[in-house]
Amino acid sequence: MPHAVIVDVVRTPSGRGKPGGALSAVHSIDLAAHVLRALLERNGLESRQIDDVLMGCVSQVGDQAMNVARHAVLAAGFDETVPAVTIDRQCGSSQQAAHFAAQGVIAGAYDIVIAAGVESMSRVPLGSSRIGGTKAPGLMRRYPDGLVNQGVSAELIAHRWGLSREQLDAYSAESHRRAVEAWNHGAFDSQVVPVLAGDSDAVAFDETVRAGTTVESLAGLNPAFRTDELAARFPDLDWRITAGNSSPLTDAASAALIMSEEKATELGLTPRARFHSFAVVGDDPIMMLTGPIPATRRILERSGLSIADLDAYEVNEAFASVPLAWQQDLDADPAKLNPWGGAIALGHAVGASGTRLLGTLVSHLEATGGRYGLQTMCEGGGMANATIIERL
């Protein structure tokens, strides 16, 4: 059975996902095309060698409609014979793309494949794809009070795990501190491909990282998701989630070059890591963001590894309560959790975050000499993916 290996991972910097953000002038298709071209150029490949491009994207409407992956392949100058497909598993879309890509290699369906993701949240705001939709009677019969937005789920998690506002803000300030330190030490230099955005200089740094963020500065922010209606529905909540302890709306793209180990050897390319284990789970759609906990338990059981065997964990920081609850439930080492900062600092361009985390994990294992790394991502609707990779 072939081993699926990671040869390269690239990403754009993160731009603030609002008008005037550093990457807001760049079309989603061009943003995605940029990382696709970079993979070919960095590894001396011709586009005809790529069997498929699998791209995550959540808001598939407007600039991101009609199979954004195929349009990105064409905009990147790839040969017209290269196919592409767009995947939506909410925030885990590009992590799922990486799963499908690696599983295709292991099954013998692919030799070389690109897993990627893109989201321009300034041009296609989160939730745009729901506009005009109606409530499904079948879903309302099962959940008569309706589902909730992810901010409310983050509040429910903070309440259930007893996470104080001070803990949430302290975690968030530390995410920025770690990200600043990682950037200052060149940790992201090998991953990030600068982007020309309009007439300005190339964007080469994550706009979402805020040096000097402190618990005191975060303490002044008001809860972001409380409404009178929600307060009546959830009377036990004291509303601790703010913009400061949440991931920011973000524009970005990322991509991973995945192939069989045999093909990498044939091409003279050096595999950086191999895919070890996969898991995907469904969980309570009201709590919604707790999925990384059962996903991690499942993948550890399948892999035969323990949490102590892992050298780093990338647990997506959709909100500070998510990794903190995960850490508490798994009794995980906080020093290994998002060691270069997470989405609270580095941004969460929802469709692109999966392959961004993968690149960070590979680079961190290389920098520290670690062997095994875990990536897990909470997803809308109460799901989660988990991936274990082994550095080579």
Side-chain angles (χ1 to χ4, degrees), residues 36 39-40 45-55 67 69-70 73 78-87 97-98 100-102 104-105 109-116 255-259:
L36 297 182
L39 280 184
L40 294 190
L45 295 176
E46 299 293 334
S47 64
R48 278 181 175 269
Q49 295 174 276
I50 308 300
D51 293 315
D52 205 354
V53 175
L54 315 179
M55 184 174 292
N67 194 5
R70 173 61 174 170
V73 161
F78 279 31
D79 195 278
E80 293 173 349
T81 59
V82 180
V85 66
T86 307
I87 295 165
F100 285 156
V105 168
Y110 296 134
D111 290 321
I112 307 175
V113 61
I114 292 175
L257 180 62
I258 297 167
M259 63 184 70

Coordinates of all heavy atoms in Angstrom, one line a residue, residues 36 39-40 45-55 67 69-70 73 78-87 97-98 100-102 104-105 109-116 255-259:
L36 N -1.2 27.9 -5.8 CA -1.1 26.7 -6.7 C 0.2 26.9 -7.6 O 1.0 26.0 -7.7 CB -2.3 26.6 -7.6 CG -3.7 26.3 -6.9 CD1 -4.8 26.2 -7.9 CD2 -3.6 25.1 -6.0
L39 N 3.5 26.2 -5.6 CA 3.8 24.8 -5.4 C 4.6 24.3 -6.6 O 5.6 23.6 -6.4 CB 2.6 24.0 -5.1 CG 2.0 24.0 -3.7 CD1 0.9 23.0 -3.6 CD2 3.1 23.7 -2.6
L40 N 4.1 24.6 -7.8 CA 4.7 24.1 -9.0 C 6.1 24.7 -9.1 O 7.1 23.9 -9.4 CB 3.9 24.4 -10.2 CG 2.6 23.8 -10.4 CD1 2.0 24.1 -11.8 CD2 2.6 22.3 -10.2
L45 N 7.7 21.3 -10.9 CA 6.7 20.4 -11.5 C 6.0 21.1 -12.7 O 5.9 22.4 -12.7 CB 5.7 20.0 -10.5 CG 6.2 19.1 -9.3 CD1 5.0 18.8 -8.4 CD2 6.8 17.8 -9.9
E46 N 5.5 20.3 -13.6 CA 4.6 20.8 -14.7 C 3.2 20.5 -14.2 O 2.9 19.5 -13.6 CB 4.9 20.1 -16.0 CG 6.3 20.4 -16.5 CD 6.5 21.8 -16.9 OE1 5.5 22.5 -17.3 OE2 7.7 22.2 -16.9
S47 N 2.3 21.4 -14.6 CA 0.9 21.2 -14.1 C 0.3 19.9 -14.6 O -0.5 19.3 -13.9 CB 0.0 22.4 -14.6 OG -0.1 22.5 -16.0
R48 N 0.7 19.4 -15.8 CA 0.2 18.2 -16.3 C 0.5 17.0 -15.4 O -0.2 16.0 -15.5 CB 0.7 17.9 -17.7 CG 0.0 18.6 -18.8 CD 0.7 18.3 -20.2 NE 0.0 18.8 -21.3 CZ -1.0 18.2 -21.9 NH1 -1.4 17.0 -21.6 NH2 -1.6 18.8 -23.0
Q49 N 1.4 17.1 -14.5 CA 1.8 16.0 -13.6 C 0.8 15.9 -12.4 O 0.8 14.9 -11.7 CB 3.2 16.2 -13.1 CG 4.3 16.2 -14.1 CD 5.6 16.5 -13.5 OE1 6.0 17.7 -13.4 NE2 6.4 15.5 -13.1
I50 N 0.0 16.9 -12.3 CA -1.0 16.9 -11.1 C -2.2 16.2 -11.5 O -2.9 16.5 -12.5 CB -1.4 18.4 -10.7 CG1 -0.1 19.2 -10.5 CG2 -2.3 18.4 -9.5 CD1 0.8 18.7 -9.4
D51 N -2.6 15.1 -10.8 CA -3.8 14.3 -11.1 C -5.1 15.0 -10.7 O -6.1 14.8 -11.4 CB -3.7 13.0 -10.3 CG -2.6 12.1 -10.8 OD1 -2.4 12.0 -12.0 OD2 -1.8 11.5 -9.9
D52 N -5.0 15.8 -9.7 CA -6.3 16.5 -9.2 C -5.9 17.6 -8.3 O -4.9 17.6 -7.6 CB -7.2 15.5 -8.6 CG -8.7 15.9 -8.6 OD1 -9.0 17.0 -9.1 OD2 -9.5 15.0 -8.2
V53 N -6.8 18.6 -8.2 CA -6.7 19.7 -7.2 C -8.0 19.6 -6.4 O -9.1 19.8 -6.9 CB -6.5 21.0 -7.8 CG1 -6.5 22.1 -6.8 CG2 -5.2 21.1 -8.6
L54 N -7.9 19.5 -5.1 CA -9.0 19.4 -4.1 C -8.9 20.6 -3.2 O -7.9 20.8 -2.5 CB -9.0 18.1 -3.3 CG -8.7 16.8 -4.0 CD1 -8.6 15.7 -3.0 CD2 -9.7 16.6 -5.1
M55 N -9.9 21.5 -3.3 CA -9.8 22.8 -2.6 C -11.0 23.0 -1.7 O -12.2 22.9 -2.1 CB -9.7 23.9 -3.7 CG -9.5 25.3 -3.1 SD -9.3 26.5 -4.4 CE -7.7 26.0 -5.0
N67 N -17.6 26.2 -8.5 CA -16.4 25.4 -8.4 C -15.1 26.3 -8.4 O -14.4 26.3 -9.4 CB -16.3 24.3 -9.4 CG -15.2 23.3 -9.1 OD1 -14.5 23.4 -8.1 ND2 -15.0 22.4 -10.1
A69 N -12.4 26.0 -7.2 CA -11.1 25.3 -7.4 C -10.8 25.2 -8.9 O -9.6 25.4 -9.3 CB -11.2 23.9 -6.8
R70 N -11.7 24.9 -9.7 CA -11.5 24.8 -11.2 C -11.0 26.1 -11.8 O -10.1 26.2 -12.6 CB -12.7 24.3 -11.9 CG -12.6 24.2 -13.4 CD -11.5 23.4 -14.0 NE -11.6 23.3 -15.4 CZ -10.6 22.7 -16.2 NH1 -9.5 22.2 -15.6 NH2 -10.8 22.7 -17.5
V73 N -7.5 26.8 -10.8 CA -6.5 26.1 -11.6 C -6.3 26.7 -13.0 O -5.2 26.9 -13.4 CB -7.1 24.6 -11.8 CG1 -6.4 23.9 -13.0 CG2 -6.9 23.8 -10.5
F78 N -2.6 26.5 -15.1 CA -2.4 25.1 -15.2 C -3.0 24.6 -16.6 O -3.9 25.2 -17.2 CB -3.2 24.3 -14.1 CG -2.5 24.3 -12.8 CD1 -1.6 25.3 -12.4 CD2 -2.7 23.2 -11.9 CE1 -1.0 25.2 -11.2 CE2 -2.1 23.2 -10.7 CZ -1.2 24.2 -10.3
D79 N -2.5 23.5 -17.0 CA -3.0 22.9 -18.2 C -4.5 22.6 -18.1 O -5.0 22.2 -17.0 CB -2.3 21.6 -18.5 CG -2.5 21.1 -19.9 OD1 -3.6 20.4 -20.2 OD2 -1.7 21.3 -20.8
E80 N -5.3 22.8 -19.1 CA -6.7 22.6 -19.1 C -7.1 21.2 -18.7 O -8.3 20.9 -18.3 CB -7.4 23.0 -20.4 CG -7.2 24.5 -20.7 CD -7.7 24.9 -22.0 OE1 -8.0 24.0 -22.9 OE2 -7.9 26.1 -22.3
T81 N -6.2 20.2 -18.8 CA -6.5 18.8 -18.5 C -6.5 18.6 -17.0 O -6.9 17.5 -16.6 CB -5.5 17.9 -19.2 OG1 -4.2 18.2 -18.7 CG2 -5.6 18.0 -20.7
V82 N -6.1 19.5 -16.2 CA -6.0 19.3 -14.8 C -7.4 19.5 -14.1 O -7.9 20.6 -14.2 CB -5.0 20.2 -14.1 CG1 -4.9 19.9 -12.6 CG2 -3.6 20.0 -14.7
P83 N -8.0 18.5 -13.5 CA -9.3 18.7 -12.9 C -9.2 19.3 -11.5 O -8.1 19.4 -11.0 CB -9.9 17.3 -12.8 CG -8.6 16.4 -12.6 CD -7.5 17.1 -13.4
A84 N -10.3 19.7 -11.0 CA -10.4 20.3 -9.7 C -11.8 20.2 -9.1 O -12.8 20.3 -9.8 CB -9.9 21.8 -9.7
V85 N -11.9 20.2 -7.8 CA -13.2 20.1 -7.1 C -13.1 20.9 -5.8 O -12.1 21.0 -5.2 CB -13.5 18.6 -6.8 CG1 -12.6 18.0 -5.8 CG2 -15.0 18.5 -6.3
T86 N -14.2 21.5 -5.5 CA -14.3 22.3 -4.3 C -15.1 21.6 -3.2 O -16.1 20.9 -3.5 CB -15.1 23.7 -4.6 OG1 -14.4 24.3 -5.7 CG2 -15.1 24.6 -3.4
I87 N -14.6 21.6 -2.0 CA -15.1 20.8 -0.8 C -15.6 21.7 0.3 O -14.9 22.7 0.6 CB -14.0 19.9 -0.3 CG1 -13.6 18.9 -1.4 CG2 -14.4 19.2 1.0 CD1 -12.3 18.2 -1.1
A97 N -9.9 18.2 2.5 CA -9.3 18.1 1.1 C -7.9 17.3 1.3 O -7.6 16.5 0.4 CB -9.0 19.5 0.6
A98 N -7.2 17.6 2.3 CA -5.9 16.9 2.5 C -6.2 15.4 2.8 O -5.5 14.5 2.3 CB -5.1 17.5 3.6
F100 N -8.8 13.6 1.8 CA -9.2 13.0 0.5 C -8.0 12.8 -0.4 O -7.9 11.8 -1.1 CB -10.3 13.8 -0.2 CG -11.7 13.8 0.4 CD1 -12.6 14.8 0.2 CD2 -12.1 12.7 1.1 CE1 -13.8 14.7 0.7 CE2 -13.4 12.6 1.7 CZ -14.2 13.6 1.5
A101 N -7.1 13.8 -0.5 CA -5.9 13.7 -1.3 C -5.1 12.5 -0.9 O -4.6 11.7 -1.7 CB -5.2 15.0 -1.3
A102 N -4.7 12.5 0.4 CA -3.9 11.4 0.9 C -4.5 10.1 0.8 O -3.9 9.1 0.4 CB -3.5 11.7 2.4
G104 N -6.6 9.2 -1.5 CA -6.6 8.9 -2.9 C -5.2 8.3 -3.3 O -5.1 7.4 -4.1
V105 N -4.2 8.9 -2.7 CA -2.8 8.3 -3.0 C -2.7 6.9 -2.4 O -2.2 6.0 -3.0 CB -1.7 9.3 -2.4 CG1 -0.4 8.6 -2.4 CG2 -1.7 10.6 -3.1
A109 N -5.3 5.8 -6.4 CA -6.1 6.6 -7.4 C -5.3 7.8 -7.9 O -5.6 8.4 -9.0 CB -7.4 7.1 -6.8
Y110 N -4.3 8.3 -7.1 CA -3.5 9.5 -7.4 C -2.0 9.1 -7.2 O -1.7 8.4 -6.4 CB -3.8 10.7 -6.5 CG -5.2 11.2 -6.5 CD1 -5.8 11.5 -5.3 CD2 -5.8 11.6 -7.7 CE1 -7.1 12.1 -5.3 CE2 -7.1 12.2 -7.7 CZ -7.7 12.4 -6.5 OH -9.0 13.0 -6.5
D111 N -1.2 9.8 -8.1 CA 0.2 9.8 -7.8 C 0.6 11.1 -7.2 O 1.4 11.2 -6.2 CB 1.0 9.6 -9.1 CG 0.9 8.2 -9.7 OD1 0.9 7.3 -8.9 OD2 0.8 8.1 -10.9
I112 N 0.1 12.2 -7.8 CA 0.4 13.6 -7.3 C -0.9 14.4 -7.2 O -1.7 14.4 -8.2 CB 1.4 14.3 -8.2 CG1 2.7 13.5 -8.5 CG2 1.8 15.7 -7.6 CD1 3.6 14.2 -9.5
V113 N -1.1 15.0 -6.1 CA -2.4 15.7 -5.9 C -2.1 17.0 -5.1 O -1.2 16.9 -4.2 CB -3.5 14.8 -5.3 CG1 -3.1 14.3 -3.9 CG2 -4.8 15.5 -5.3
I114 N -2.9 18.0 -5.3 CA -2.8 19.2 -4.4 C -4.0 19.3 -3.6 O -5.2 19.2 -4.1 CB -2.6 20.5 -5.3 CG1 -1.2 20.5 -6.0 CG2 -2.7 21.7 -4.4 CD1 -1.0 21.6 -6.9
A115 N -3.9 19.5 -2.3 CA -5.0 19.8 -1.4 C -4.8 21.3 -1.1 O -3.7 21.8 -0.7 CB -4.9 19.0 -0.1
A116 N -5.9 22.1 -1.2 CA -5.7 23.5 -1.0 C -7.0 24.1 -0.3 O -8.0 23.3 0.0 CB -5.5 24.2 -2.3
A255 N -2.0 25.7 0.4 CA -2.0 24.6 -0.5 C -0.9 23.6 -0.1 O 0.2 24.1 0.3 CB -1.8 24.9 -2.0
A256 N -1.1 22.3 -0.2 CA -0.2 21.3 0.1 C 0.0 20.4 -1.1 O -0.9 20.0 -1.7 CB -0.7 20.5 1.3
L257 N 1.3 20.0 -1.3 CA 1.7 19.1 -2.4 C 1.8 17.7 -1.8 O 2.7 17.5 -1.0 CB 3.0 19.5 -3.1 CG 3.5 18.7 -4.2 CD1 2.5 18.6 -5.4 CD2 4.8 19.2 -4.7
I258 N 0.9 16.8 -2.2 CA 0.8 15.5 -1.6 C 1.1 14.4 -2.7 O 0.5 14.6 -3.8 CB -0.5 15.3 -0.9 CG1 -0.7 16.3 0.2 CG2 -0.7 13.8 -0.5 CD1 -2.1 16.4 0.8
M259 N 1.8 13.4 -2.5 CA 2.1 12.4 -3.5 C 2.5 11.1 -2.8 O 2.7 11.0 -1.6 CB 3.2 12.8 -4.5 CG 4.5 13.1 -3.9 SD 5.7 13.7 -5.1 CE 5.1 15.4 -5.4

